[in-house]
Amino acid sequence: MVSTTSLVDFLRKANERLPDEAQRVLQALLEQGSMNKEELSLTARVKRAVLDHIIMQLYALGLVEISTEGKSKICSVTKLGDEFYSLVKAG
């Protein structure tokens, strides 16, 4: 039997599985705009090694995009990431 889950329910469940630092990363990107991982680590107050893991989780969910500029990886929030953060903040 196939069950269907709404996107809102899916995102709420995904949030339960994400580390607490993920919200700080999304908040930093929404407030400050796109930035490289080093800046993001400092702004979101997340250790660099932990940040890489969080970014990959957020990327897999489609909440952030990663682009390359020279040797730097630039992270930015997607529209879905913005909506996700609003949903999480609303509770």
Side-chain angles (χ1 to χ4, degrees):
M1 177 185 219
V2 176
S3 65
T4 57
T5 303
S6 72
L7 180 58
V8 171
D9 290 338
F10 173 80
L11 292 174
R12 283 190 177 129
K13 286 289 185 188
N15 183 55
E16 291 173 9
R17 292 188 165 105
L18 288 171
D20 295 336
E21 294 91 349
Q23 283 188 31
R24 291 201 313 258
V25 168
L26 284 173
Q27 181 180 7
L29 288 171
L30 286 166
E31 290 177 356
Q32 304 292 322
S34 300
M35 60 183 91
N36 67 34
K37 289 182 178 180
E38 193 62 36
E39 292 172 311
L40 184 54
S41 175
L42 295 170
T43 304
R45 299 173 326 277
V46 175
K47 291 181 183 177
R48 185 68 164 78
V50 174
L51 178 68
D52 287 337
H53 183 68
I54 291 169
I55 290 295
M56 285 300 110
Q57 289 177 316
L58 296 174
Y59 177 78
L61 288 168
L63 306 180
V64 298
E65 291 179 330
I66 304 168
S67 59
T68 303
E69 287 185 15
K71 292 183 178 181
S72 293
K73 301 286 187 190
I74 306 298
C75 303
S76 56
V77 177
T78 62
K79 184 176 181 193
L80 180 61
D82 188 9
E83 293 174 10
F84 172 81
Y85 186 74
S86 297
L87 175 73
V88 169
K89 287 290 279 186

